[in-house]
Amino acid sequence: MLDWYPDGQSILFASGMESGRDRFNQLYRVAKTGGLPAKLPVPYGEFAAVSEDGQWLAYMPQSQDFRTWKRYRGGWAGEIWVFALEDSSATRVAASDADDGQPMWHGNTLYFLSDRSPNQRHNIWAYDRTTKTSRQVTHFTDFDIAFPAIGPGDIVFQAGSGLYLLDLATEKVSQVNVQVVTDEITLKPRSERMGQLIRWADVSPTGKRAGFNARNEVLTAPAENGPILNRPR
């Protein structure tokens, strides 16, 4: 699944159902209620997005998103094309030898990932469909941006081990504070009732103390008053 159509009634998705043994995807439209899908009139398609007015399809014929190639320059670098759904004309967006990908529409602006900057890190770029100009929006230098997703007013993306929000109105970036509670909390020191967990017991020769084994620990307790001691390992 790649995108919703603007009317909210259809889904854009990629599939290799008709590609045969060459393992490439093509783009399809299907009603949200199900039924037979209709193939879009573009030869290949890996990632794609439909413009808000429903007239333009931004798509990638090929993608390197899930490969281990970085800073690749060659014939398999990702490209983005804009396809007019009314007259079937197509234009390549911001052509370069860099790897471009993950197109996302916001009004008349197409946001996408590209490593065309001097440090060759994947950052978010913006392409204006009217002026046909592109500009760099984010400027990460330590990590590549990955897995962007656009909403009504923000783009969320991953950089390194962090999540970030790009406000589309101001184009300012802020980090998302993620707090994760893990199972390691069970390893914190705490008190346990051992009465039902004793697996072995014996009385000392003097009868003044008794030894117990519980939870893989050896404990000694006095016959009457005194401390319970945990035998050092």
Side-chain angles (χ1 to χ4, degrees):
M1 188 276 180
L2 300 176
D3 198 11
W4 284 95
Y5 275 78
D7 60 6
Q9 301 302 309
S10 300
I11 296 169
L12 174 69
F13 71 97
S15 174
M17 67 175 81
E18 294 185 17
S19 67
R21 64 181 177 83
D22 292 329
R23 300 184 300 172
F24 58 84
N25 283 328
Q26 295 173 309
L27 301 176
Y28 296 83
R29 177 176 184 169
V30 67
K32 70 176 183 179
T33 54
L36 292 175
K39 185 165 68 173
L40 274 62
V42 293
Y44 311 103
E46 298 296 333
F47 292 97
V50 183
S51 64
E52 295 174 6
D53 58 12
Q55 297 182 10
W56 304 91
L57 173 76
Y59 76 98
M60 300 176 61
Q62 59 204 33
S63 169
Q64 305 304 327
D65 283 67
F66 299 105
R67 295 185 181 271
T68 55
W69 304 351
K70 287 191 175 185
R71 327 301 164 226
Y72 171 75
R73 300 293 187 266
W76 277 96
E79 301 175 357
I80 299 176
W81 289 72
V82 171
F83 181 84
L85 293 171
E86 290 188 354
D87 62 13
S88 297
S89 61
T91 305
R92 185 179 172 188
V93 169
S96 77
D97 63 350
D99 182 58
D100 300 334
Q102 300 294 329
M104 299 167 286
W105 286 105
H106 181 70
N108 207 37
T109 301
L110 182 68
Y111 290 93
F112 63 99
L113 290 185
S114 179
D115 63 357
R116 63 182 64 200
S117 58
N119 61 16
Q120 296 189 343
R121 290 287 185 191
H122 276 101
N123 275 281
I124 294 177
W125 288 65
Y127 173 81
D128 188 301
R129 190 171 56 84
T130 302
T131 63
K132 302 187 185 307
T133 58
S134 58
R135 57 187 173 82
Q136 187 171 353
V137 178
T138 63
H139 297 82
F140 283 77
T141 58
D142 293 332
F143 300 101
D144 291 290
I145 288 178
F147 306 113
I150 195 167
D154 306 270
I155 294 176
V156 62
F157 60 87
Q158 176 186 341
S161 60
L163 293 178
Y164 296 83
L165 278 179
L166 170 65
D167 186 306
L168 296 178
T170 64
E171 293 192 344
K172 292 183 178 180
V173 175
S174 59
Q175 188 165 4
V176 179
N177 183 24
V178 179
Q179 295 180 332
V180 180
V181 179
T182 72
D183 292 340
E184 291 184 357
I185 195 171
T186 61
L187 303 179
K188 294 177 65 176
R190 65 188 186 279
S191 298
E192 285 281 352
R193 293 185 178 274
M194 308 292 282
Q196 302 298 319
L197 302 174
I198 294 174
R199 309 184 68 176
W200 171 89
D202 196 13
V203 179
S204 68
T206 63
K208 294 182 179 181
R209 299 188 70 84
F212 304 92
N213 175 270
R215 292 175 59 88
N216 204 32
E217 300 284 347
V218 176
L219 309 168
T220 65
E224 295 184 10
N225 301 317
I228 298 177
L229 303 176
N230 191 340
R231 179 179 176 273
R233 295 185 179 183

